[in-house]
Amino acid sequence: MADVINVSVNLEAFSQAISAIQALRSSVSRVFDCLKDGMRNKETLEGREKAFIAHFQDNLHSVNRDLNELERLSNLVGKPSENHPLHNSGLLSLDPVQDKTPLYSQLLQAYKWSNKVTLGKVLKVIVVMRSLFIDRTIVKGYNENVYTEDGKLDIWSKSNYQVFQKVTDHATTALLHYQLPQMPDVVVRSFMTWLRSYIKLFQAPCQRCGKFLQDGLPPTWRDFRTLEAFHDTCRQ
Ligand SMILES: [Zn+2]
């Protein structure tokens, strides 16, 4: 996994730190055991008090020693790289039962895959997801900028072109159409398949009037079932 996520963690120190935590827990337990047992097994009261105090001090010294050791090791452990594209989700890679819960590898695949929505050299689509549900989509021209001035993905601005504004509207309608709350994966797949039909946005004639342009626009509507192209006004 080290080739996928740059984990700058000192594993040796990590292992020692876990042992140090166990030692600290033991020494703290001994302190409470000592308090619980109280003054026992001595002939005189003075002898019992002295033995108890000495025992108690020994235990507190042990706690102090184990705590210092843990603090020393915690500085050596280091921390995972924060440059990972999945941010905190990258921590899933540390799950020791990868075979049973391959969430991390699936996330990586989804991440790489989601960076390819761009459709050919026709358009770019920003698909905003909330958990597994598609929240909204914004369609822009292939040459349009999709980042804000500070380098973040701009998920709010509309396209400058009427044709992509139309496609954005239709994509929003499509999201309402492909609603299956119990099967979000099917929704994503259906929506993406529908979206992919726009790769021929400027090449497919309208299936009703047969023309490429109407009012200066190509057929911007795609049938949800057949994926056929229609002008907005020809789809009824
Ligand atoms: Zn038409």
Side-chain angles (χ1 to χ4, degrees):
M1 197 50 66
D3 56 332
V4 180
I5 176 173
N6 178 23
V7 182
S8 57
V9 170
N10 180 344
L11 290 178
E12 179 64 26
F14 199 80
S15 164
Q16 289 177 3
I18 290 175
S19 300
I21 290 170
Q22 290 170 334
L24 180 61
R25 287 175 63 124
S26 298
S27 52
V28 170
S29 293
R30 281 198 299 275
V31 169
F32 287 105
D33 283 344
C34 167
L35 289 173
K36 176 170 63 73
D37 292 342
M39 299 181 287
R40 287 181 177 180
N41 305 324
K42 290 287 176 207
E43 300 278 320
T44 62
L45 179 63
E46 189 184 2
R48 277 187 280 171
E49 278 182 358
K50 277 189 177 175
F52 172 77
I53 290 171
H55 193 204
F56 188 58
Q57 281 181 335
D58 277 352
N59 285 327
L60 284 182
H61 283 141
S62 298
V63 170
N64 200 30
R65 181 198 62 213
D66 293 342
L67 187 60
N68 286 339
E69 175 67 2
L70 181 59
E71 279 183 345
R72 184 185 71 80
L73 288 167
S74 66
N75 290 327
L76 298 177
V77 166
K79 56 181 179 178
S81 166
E82 290 172 356
N83 296 327
H84 195 266
L86 295 182
H87 300 285
N88 286 345
S89 308
L91 297 176
L92 284 169
S93 67
L94 302 178
D95 189 341
V97 283
Q98 271 282 316
D99 293 343
K100 289 180 184 168
T101 52
L103 264 181
Y104 179 70
S105 49
Q106 287 174 357
L107 271 176
L108 270 187
Q109 278 181 354
Y111 180 76
K112 289 175 189 165
W113 178 70
S114 66
N115 261 353
K116 296 174 184 168
V117 173
T118 300
L119 272 185
K121 291 195 173 178
V122 181
L123 50 82
K124 289 176 184 170
V125 189
I126 299 170
V127 180
V128 182
M129 300 195 70
R130 193 178 55 214
S131 180
L132 287 175
F133 298 93
I134 300 176
D135 202 50
R136 62 199 304 260
T137 57
I138 299 97
V139 181
K140 290 192 173 186
Y142 182 75
N143 294 321
E144 282 191 276
N145 185 24
V146 291
Y147 293 97
T148 57
E149 285 181 359
D150 55 358
K152 291 182 179 165
L153 198 61
D154 182 359
I155 62 170
W156 302 107
S157 304
K158 284 197 289 187
S159 168
N160 292 323
Y161 302 100
Q162 197 183 348
V163 58
F164 297 116
Q165 290 174 13
K166 279 268 183 197
V167 178
T168 300
D169 291 344
H170 296 329
T172 305
T173 311
L175 283 182
L176 295 174
H177 174 79
Y178 295 116
Q179 280 294 343
L180 278 172
Q182 306 303 323
M183 291 186 280
D185 55 326
V186 175
V187 172
V188 172
R189 200 173 300 132
S190 306
F191 178 74
M192 290 301 178
T193 304
W194 176 83
L195 200 57
R196 195 180 182 284
S197 63
Y198 281 96
I199 201 163
K200 292 197 171 178
L201 178 61
F202 299 107
Q203 293 172 306
C206 173
Q207 292 301 300
R208 172 157 297 200
C209 69
K211 294 177 183 171
F212 283 92
L213 291 176
Q214 189 186 77
D215 299 329
L217 290 175
T220 54
W221 176 263
R222 293 292 180 275
D223 187 272
F224 293 137
R225 195 171 50 81
T226 64
L227 306 181
E228 288 175 334
F230 292 92
H231 289 115
D232 201 8
T233 50
C234 292
R235 65 182 158 121
Q236 301 305 331

